[in-house]
Amino acid sequence: MNARILALHGGLLALLLVLHFVLPVYHHGNLARIMVLACYAIGYNLLFGYTGLLSLGHAMFFAAGMYGMGMPFHHLGLGAELAFLAGIGTAGALALVVGLLALRTLGVAFMIVTLMFSQAFYLMILLAARWTRGDEGLVLAGADRVLFGLDLTDPDIRYLLALGLFALCLSAALWLVRRPFGRVLVAIRENPERAELLGYDIFRHKLAAVVVSGMFSGAAGAAYGLMFGYVGASFAEVHFSIFPLLWVLLGGAGTVIGPFFGVLFMFYLIDISSGLTPAYMLIAGVALVLLTLFAPQGLAGEVRRRWLRWLP
Amino acid sequence: MEFGPHLMLAALEGAVTAAVLALMAAGLSLVFGVMRVVNVAHGEFYMLGAVLAFVVAGMAGGGAPGFVAALVAVPLIVAALAVAADRAVLRRLSYDPERTIVATIGILYILQQLALMGYGPDARPVAPPFNHRIALPWIDWGAGGPVLTWPWGLSITSYKLFVIGAAATVLAGLWLLMTRTRIGLVMRATQLDRETAQTFGIPVGRVYALVFGLGAGLAALAGVLIVPIQQAHYLMGGDALLLSFIVVIIGGLGSLPGTLIAAVLIGLSDGIISVFFSPTLAKIIATLLVALVLVFRPQGLMGKPAR
Amino acid sequence: MSALLSTRALSKSFAGLRAVHEVDLDLAPGEIRALIGPNGAGKTTLVSMLIGRIAPTSGAILFEGRDITRLPAHARVRLGMAYTFQITSVFARLDVAENVGLAARRRLGGDRAAVARETALVLERVGLAGHADALAGDLSYGHQRLLELAMGLAQAPRLLILDEPTQGLAEGEIEAFKRLIREVAAEATILLIEHNMSVVMALADRITVLDFGEVLAEGSPAGIHASAAVQAAYLGTGADA
């Protein structure tokens, strides 16, 4: 692999490891959350940034991962390791079904179809309140949250596991987008008709992108539930589909490193403003409008356009 | 109450929902039809209509005069706001469909959160200008033939009848505007072919602003009309948006007559379904229906297939 | 002679309008076939059906004896057909090398070195070697046409369909193009839609003339040149050849 690409992404991971030892408790906890959410953003970006498919329903994949992990964990006493895999599997299966249906549409219709499926999924969580406890959600018992002997209630372990997951997602995304598969996704984004006439099966590539993206999102959802001990319907709400779009737009669609910075900035922006007003989502709204108007490339996108054309 | 009267009551309630929904959906459909953009902030214009109705009615001293003041002023205020949003944001995006959706999601949050800051998290009512209970008769088959009875609880208020009438009047007016006036002609020309309209000297930019304002005004009017029945709340836009999406998509995107038929259908069935099912289940069925209609019959249930 | 590509009674109507009507076409392996005809004769509709961009109303298409009428476009490309667009369709925001790389990679897979080699080779052949790092959208129109051709060549197709490849090329570029096509003809069968009669006469082994969606004549360049019917078709519709 290209040395500067390796240096940049490896450097970020090394920096995050160093921060583990120096950050004050509050920011240390925040960064653990940010890294898990960045996995969600990376997954979203594979579909939106690389394949050019704008989903407004990714919360269903995040929540499918979370509930797919949380329900067997809570009700059946499944171990954390298997429950985590069950979460990813659930998200992947849901993504396959949604993809098979939604990919029959394009553009605006695709956005609305994904929005509607996600809303239906959210409502189903509420409907199945007997098992999901509806709005209240499930609190996962701390004593059971042990992954390979590591206690997930310990903030230090949580941070390092979050870093591990983030490192995994970042490298997997980097590997994927530089492989022929990722190049074809970009080709589909740029000119689907041309890509088809180069012999690529557009539908199958898009479907694979939806499934992979859904599994990344599901992994983030499962990890989030496991690490922070809570599985709630609010993670399936519309907001939670808009957030990854916002993060990726802000960080830079179609860049591997951008989503992390998108989450980082947005997290702190909302963290600061929610201290000032209950109407903190105002920030999200203003950011969305300003980004679409003035910086559709996002942070990393601008950096790539101006200085680093090699940025993957 | 017996099944028959129960059903009739549900249908009447449904007719009120249908009336309000038809107004809102007509606005959404108009914007999509002429401008080819999906306005995700449409539900917030409805919410603003309701919230501002509370504010304006209060400022005008409440009661019937307050309500009338709100009915006149609020749709205009909201329409002006929408025109400003069109000028400041949508036009700069050249009405690119996908970027417009993202931007209107932003506008959705801005309006909703501003309402939360200015109006607060409480739900508040506006008193209807008149509100007589009108009992409704039911025909029973007695031993000696049909007998007119007055089952307890089978009634509607004069205000609800007014809502149905007002919505029907406004929609008829909208239809006349679109089919019988110069402005309507200009809008339809723009809808058919933006570039050609431009070369024929139609100020497309101004038409778009007008349409966006008109669409928002219709949503706001629906909001004003609903406040005396349902209280105004800053989060009320979400469900309303969902329902109008359903109506517009099932009626066929951009088709006004299709939208009206679908509004009546959905309004009535929503009333009836939620009487017999849990509202959550009804919503799940409705959202899945929209998704599947878009997947398998994108021209809508009543629209014609694209050429 | 077994044909590489055949059509049998291939027809397409748009809303009752006959664009292509019962065309029987047989391309022999290795030949350069030109498809000519006045504007609106149905040439592009015909090749669009061959490659699978539009579905025929009736009739059949066979490639190496196999019925491909129902195959999607990408599957036909995988069988060895390649198509270059009449209206240039490149990946404008990707660089030239990646445009060609995408074309080569489907065949060569994840072997980076092989893809890079093939890409460099093809770019050299069409004369774009100096532009490998440029964004395709920044190329001049003529260069974009050459890039289209390069993407066709990088697929190493058995049948290369070129839809008006010389449109917008300068005189000098056209000469280079003719040389290149003669070279390529050693490796692939070529179906060439072309308006420029000097290119057609210089390259084609056989010519098929399409008029009002039907085959008007088929034969050697000399025969077609002499044909009164062809002359009439062209003169009758404005002689744009």
Side-chain angles (χ1 to χ4, degrees), chain A residues 154-190:
Chain A
D154 176 350
D156 282 330
I157 286 177
R158 217 151 53 191
Y159 184 98
L160 292 172
L161 276 177
L163 178 58
L165 182 71
F166 176 63
L168 203 66
C169 287
L170 192 76
S171 355
L174 199 55
W175 178 75
L176 264 179
V177 303
R178 290 168 46 81
R179 287 204 62 213
F181 173 71
R183 305 288 190 94
V184 176
L185 296 187
V186 171
I188 291 172
R189 177 190 77 197
E190 291 296 314

Side-chain angles (χ1 to χ4, degrees), chain C residues 134-208:
Chain C
L135 292 185
D138 292 344
L139 292 183
S140 70
Y141 184 74
H143 281 167
Q144 290 193 14
R145 301 294 308 167
L146 293 176
L147 177 57
E148 274 276 348
L149 184 60
M151 290 163 78
L153 296 182
Q155 298 176 62
R158 283 209 295 286
L159 172 65
L160 179 59
I161 302 174
L162 302 167
D163 198 347
E164 306 208 6
T166 63
Q167 198 185 50
L169 291 193
E171 275 307 313
E173 289 171 324
I174 289 182
E175 283 312 311
F177 171 80
K178 286 186 199 166
R179 269 196 305 279
L180 182 61
I181 291 302
R182 279 200 201 93
E183 268 175 54
V184 175
E187 307 149 21
T189 307
I190 292 171
L191 177 60
L192 176 70
I193 298 179
E194 189 52 69
H195 265 141
N196 186 330
M197 287 309 283
S198 83
V199 173
V200 172
M201 288 303 163
L203 288 178
D205 298 319
R206 285 176 76 77
I207 299 177
T208 300

Side-chain angles (χ1 to χ4, degrees), chain B residues 76-111:
Chain B
L76 291 176
I77 299 172
V78 174
L81 198 72
V83 169
D86 174 72
R87 302 282 81 175
V89 182
L90 302 198
R91 189 171 56 156
R92 286 166 200 258
L93 300 175
S94 319
Y95 305 98
D96 173 86
E98 295 201 353
R99 289 174 72 197
T100 299
I101 290 200
V102 177
T104 53
I105 292 171
I107 294 173
L108 178 160
Y109 281 122
I110 293 174
L111 295 178

